[in-house]
Amino acid sequence: PKEYEIFRTPPNPEGMSYCVGSHSVSYTEAAAIEAGVLVEARVDIGRLPKATGTLFGRSEMFERLDRLWADPAIGVAAVGAEGGTGKSVLISRWLDQVKDRRWDGAERVFGWSFYSQGSDRQASADEFLDAALDYFDPHGRRPNSAWDKGVALAGRMAECKCLLVLDGLEPLQYGEADMRGRLKD
């Protein structure tokens, strides 16, 4: 299979982070750890595809994902490769490993797949934004526009150590050569 590409961007430089060992944690988690309280992750990954198939020789990719996840300077990582190379299986198996490590101190873990194999349903970010806002901020005010929902979601996510996994973004991307890979929604 074609090699995976991992892209990264730094998080919002205005966000505050606290270090516990080699992990960056939110203020809430740092205070809980200092007080001796174990923080239990809240997890909703049922909308991600289930891992099927076998992976061979991916230990290097798992280690790379672990390094990216542990690095407080990394805010976004994207795994990209041709269709059918096992990206979803790779991430599903990596999530199993992170789960075994008690989510590495994450307070919240949320997963969403935009891909509907065998369905003629059009993918839209609207359903995702509503579900993610309900998850990260169940009692918060709901903005009207998708852009404002995205801003509100990013703000809520910046307040805690969280892991957001988005799968199957292809239906939301432009296919034309000059815009290929950019999100249209």
Side-chain angles (χ1 to χ4, degrees), residues 16 99 104 106 140 150 159 165:
M16 296 292 291
K99 177 184 178 185
D104 291 337
E159 294 174 0
V165 178

Side-chain angles (χ1 to χ4, degrees), residues 57 71 110 131 146 175:
D71 188 339
F110 187 76

Side-chain angles (χ1 to χ4, degrees), residues 82 129 134:
E82 296 294 320
L129 287 169
D134 286 345

Side-chain angles (χ1 to χ4, degrees), residues 38-105:
L38 180 63
V39 177
E40 192 65 37
R42 198 170 146 218
V43 180
D44 181 352
I45 56 173
R47 294 177 194 89
L48 291 173
K50 303 295 181 228
T52 58
T54 305
L55 289 177
F56 296 100
R58 297 290 188 241
S59 60
E60 193 174 297
M61 288 304 302
F62 290 130
E63 290 169 8
R64 197 168 174 192
L65 288 167
D66 284 341
R67 284 192 308 272
L68 289 168
W69 171 229
D71 188 339
I74 304 300
V76 175
V79 177
E82 296 294 320
T85 57
K87 298 178 298 291
S88 296
V89 174
L90 175 79
I91 296 301
S92 180
R93 297 283 165 74
W94 179 73
L95 285 172
D96 289 342
Q97 293 177 12
V98 176
K99 177 184 178 185
D100 290 344
R101 298 189 310 252
R102 300 181 57 88
W103 302 106
D104 291 337

Side-chain angles (χ1 to χ4, degrees), residues 4-21:
Y4 294 94
E5 297 176 44
I6 298 180
F7 306 93
R8 44 193 176 173
T9 61
N12 180 348
E14 296 173 358
M16 296 292 291
S17 64
Y18 302 83
C19 289
V20 174

Side-chain angles (χ1 to χ4, degrees), residues 80-160:
E82 296 294 320
T85 57
K87 298 178 298 291
S88 296
V89 174
L90 175 79
I91 296 301
S92 180
R93 297 283 165 74
W94 179 73
L95 285 172
D96 289 342
Q97 293 177 12
V98 176
K99 177 184 178 185
D100 290 344
R101 298 189 310 252
R102 300 181 57 88
W103 302 106
D104 291 337
E107 295 172 47
R108 295 175 187 254
V109 180
F110 187 76
W112 189 273
S113 182
F114 293 95
Y115 186 64
S116 299
Q117 188 169 5
S119 168
D120 58 357
R121 182 176 73 91
Q122 288 292 338
S124 167
D126 293 333
E127 187 179 355
F128 157 71
L129 287 169
D130 289 337
L133 278 170
D134 286 345
Y135 177 77
F136 283 98
D137 190 13
H139 305 295
R141 182 183 69 79
R142 291 292 174 267
N144 291 327
S145 76
W147 181 268
D148 290 340
K149 287 178 183 180
V151 169
L153 176 60
R156 292 298 294 148
M157 290 178 62
E159 294 174 0
C160 66

